Amino acid sequence: MPIKPRLQRMFSEQGKCFDVAIDHGFFNEISFLSGIENMRQAIATIVEAGPNCIQLSVGQAAHLPSIPGSRRIGLVLRTDVANIYGQALPRYLFSELIDRAVEQAVRLDAVAVCVNLLLLPNQPELHYQCVKNVAALRTECEKYGMPLMVEPLVMLANEVKGGYMVDGDIDKIMPLVRQAVELGADVIKADPCDDVEQYHRVIEVASGIPVLVRGGGRAADEEIVSRTVQLMRQGASGIVYGRNVIQHANPAGMTKALMSIVHDGADEAQALAWLSNTDAISLVREH
């Protein structure tokens, strides 16, 4: 089956996408739950702000269609659960696929499935498991016409910083992104790099596959907005942000600010205006 109909629901006519990730409860980490303790309320807030997609786990996806206005928003279904996000790594690491992931995505009317391609220092067995997960999903995605979003995630060693910390080394990000493409990704959800002005190199190595950039940990409004503006100018097709939206004091305003960058080419000042004028301004453009 062709994947184009679902990709058209995921991306705007200009090929841009903002996916708000709210799948953090999947990973058994207390720090990820801030802002999403009440999932129905959290999802409703984001639905009202109107991003292109919302990324959810199979256990929470049923909330989305029950919320008014959600039909215009695509579901990206998280398909794997991992145990690598705590301050200390456990003895045994895993990234395990849910059962019949693509069939579940079809039943839930998802526009894509998302799966990790993890690269942790000195953990080749975990990377091997992720490669097998991606390969297995690729076959099922082709059968059902389901776009496959692969998340190449390069992490620092826990003893360096502790916990879930992105390694922004572009020389590690680029080959992992390319591996995701080689394995059959239809969409890449990639790390930002330390020097954002070099991100065009990641876009190039993705070989025409759209790249959505991850938000990572919480950052100041000015930092996340400025970074997003630069990433879009470097050729990114959009963003997948979670904690910088759901843990923000004004998640709806931040969603609208980021949508203005992704879809309208807003600069820093124009985007930040959404945060101060959310109550006075309504977002009238349909993406």
Side-chain angles (χ1 to χ4, degrees):
M1 293 180 64
I3 66 169
K4 188 174 181 179
R6 288 190 170 95
L7 285 176
Q8 288 177 332
R9 292 167 56 198
M10 184 176 184
F11 289 87
S12 71
E13 292 182 5
Q14 293 73 35
K16 305 300 182 184
C17 175
F18 178 19
D19 174 18
V20 178
I22 322 183
D23 54 352
H24 298 74
F26 220 18
F27 302 114
N28 194 29
E29 169 57 37
I30 186 64
S31 65
F32 285 1
L33 297 183
S34 176
I36 57 169
E37 295 88 347
N38 184 326
M39 277 294 288
R40 181 175 174 81
Q41 180 178 314
I43 295 170
T45 298
I46 301 303
V47 165
E48 190 278 330
N52 300 92
C53 299
I54 294 180
Q55 190 166 299
L56 295 166
S57 63
V58 65
Q60 302 282 8
H63 289 301
L64 185 58
S66 69
I67 295 171
S70 64
R71 291 186 61 185
R72 70 184 188 278
I73 297 174
L75 166 67
V76 175
L77 186 69
R78 163 65 68 180
T79 61
D80 57 344
V81 57
N83 67 337
I84 63 166
Y85 301 103
Q87 288 292 318
L89 292 179
R91 177 182 56 81
Y92 176 76
L93 301 183
F94 64 81
S95 185
E96 186 74 17
L97 285 178
I98 62 174
D99 187 48
R100 301 193 181 197
V102 180
E103 290 183 24
Q104 295 200 59
V106 171
R107 286 197 295 270
L108 291 165
D109 194 30
V111 297
V113 295
C114 181
V115 62
N116 280 317
L117 182 60
L118 300 167
L119 187 63
L120 277 65
N122 302 313
Q123 298 293 341
E125 294 86 0
L126 179 64
H127 183 66
Y128 173 55
Q129 184 182 14
C130 290
V131 168
K132 291 198 299 181
N133 288 346
V134 175
L137 281 178
R138 175 70 265 166
T139 301
E140 292 301 302
C141 283
E142 289 179 348
K143 184 188 302 183
Y144 291 100
M146 181 65 64
L148 175 61
M149 180 193 291
V150 180
E151 183 172 354
L153 176 55
V154 184
M155 292 178 63
L156 292 168
N158 268 40
E159 57 267 24
V160 175
K161 288 192 175 180
Y164 172 40
M165 298 300 295
V166 167
D167 187 335
D169 185 344
I170 195 168
D171 289 336
K172 297 176 183 176
I173 294 170
M174 287 174 58
L176 195 63
V177 165
R178 186 52 171 262
Q179 184 179 50
V181 173
E182 304 286 358
L183 286 167
D186 299 302
V187 181
I188 298 291
K189 175 186 173 183
D191 288 325
C193 59
D194 293 331
D195 181 1
V196 179
E197 294 301 320
Q198 293 293 310
Y199 209 76
H200 61 275
R201 297 173 61 197
V202 178
I203 306 300
E204 181 180 25
V205 83
S207 305
I209 300 300
V211 175
L212 307 181
V213 188
R214 300 176 60 254
R218 284 286 285 124
D221 292 350
E222 293 78 9
E223 178 183 346
I224 196 68
V225 165
S226 176
R227 185 197 310 164
T228 305
V229 169
Q230 293 180 67
L231 288 166
M232 295 304 297
R233 290 174 179 170
Q234 289 287 308
S237 294
I239 53 176
V240 184
Y241 288 0
R243 284 171 290 168
N244 282 294
V245 175
I246 59 178
Q247 293 181 353
H248 194 277
N250 182 2
M254 179 54 84
T255 300
K256 293 176 180 181
L258 294 168
M259 285 286 281
S260 73
I261 299 170
V262 171
H263 292 286
D264 302 325
D267 60 22
E268 289 92 333
Q270 291 168 327
L272 288 169
W274 284 102
L275 293 174
S276 57
N277 298 302
T278 298
D279 293 335
I281 304 173
S282 62
L283 189 64
V284 296
R285 177 176 294 186
E286 292 293 331
H287 297 289

